[in-house]
Amino acid sequence: MDMKKRILSYLFILGALMLLVGAAIYITGWSYAPHLFSTGAVVVAVVQGLSPVGPQDGSASIVLKRLRRQQLFGALMLVVSGVLMFTTHGNEWIVALTIAAVLQLYTAWRIPAEEARQQSR
């Protein structure tokens, strides 16, 4: 693994931990929980935006491109849920977080499977 991928992996783990901790302690009313969550969301979104998916020669399939767009939309929804933590007084941010979680989980399974299928051709 080259240095860029290693740094992106560590940043992703850090961002994901910030997301998890920020969401978990939000219910306690700690005033910095939204800041922690939002920072983690931005880190995860930036890392996913910078991470390459599929072949680097531009020959990715339509399916892989669609999955990539879904992954990036999921990352955007993480950021939106962080914004909603600041701007709403209820738990509306959980709706955006649920959408993000479903998209992230789906693409985390499908992108590697699609890449493996393309490589086996």
Side-chain angles (χ1 to χ4, degrees):
M1 183 186 313
D2 67 339
M3 188 59 105
K4 180 182 176 186
K5 286 184 181 180
R6 183 172 296 192
I7 291 172
L8 288 177
S9 290
Y10 289 139
L11 282 175
F12 184 84
I13 291 169
L14 176 67
L17 286 173
M18 292 171 75
L19 278 170
L20 181 63
V21 171
I25 62 174
Y26 182 78
I27 60 170
T28 66
W30 188 49
S31 61
Y32 292 109
H35 298 278
L36 187 64
F37 182 91
S38 298
T39 303
V42 169
V43 169
V44 167
V46 168
V47 168
Q48 284 189 339
L50 293 175
S51 297
V53 174
Q56 301 309 307
D57 59 4
S59 65
S61 71
I62 294 171
V63 174
L64 198 54
K65 289 178 183 178
R66 175 185 54 86
L67 288 167
R68 176 70 170 155
R69 283 191 305 270
Q70 288 175 351
Q71 182 185 45
L72 294 176
F73 183 72
L76 175 66
M77 291 305 291
L78 284 174
V79 174
V80 167
S81 63
V83 170
L84 289 174
M85 281 179 144
F86 287 106
T87 59
T88 61
H89 298 290
N91 291 331
E92 294 87 357
W93 63 276
I94 295 175
V95 175
L97 180 61
T98 302
I99 293 168
V102 167
L103 288 172
Q104 293 291 331
L105 183 62
Y106 176 70
T107 57
W109 284 96
R110 287 283 293 129
I111 287 174
E114 185 64 25
E115 287 175 335
R117 190 178 72 79
Q118 284 186 8
Q119 288 178 356
S120 66
R121 288 184 175 180

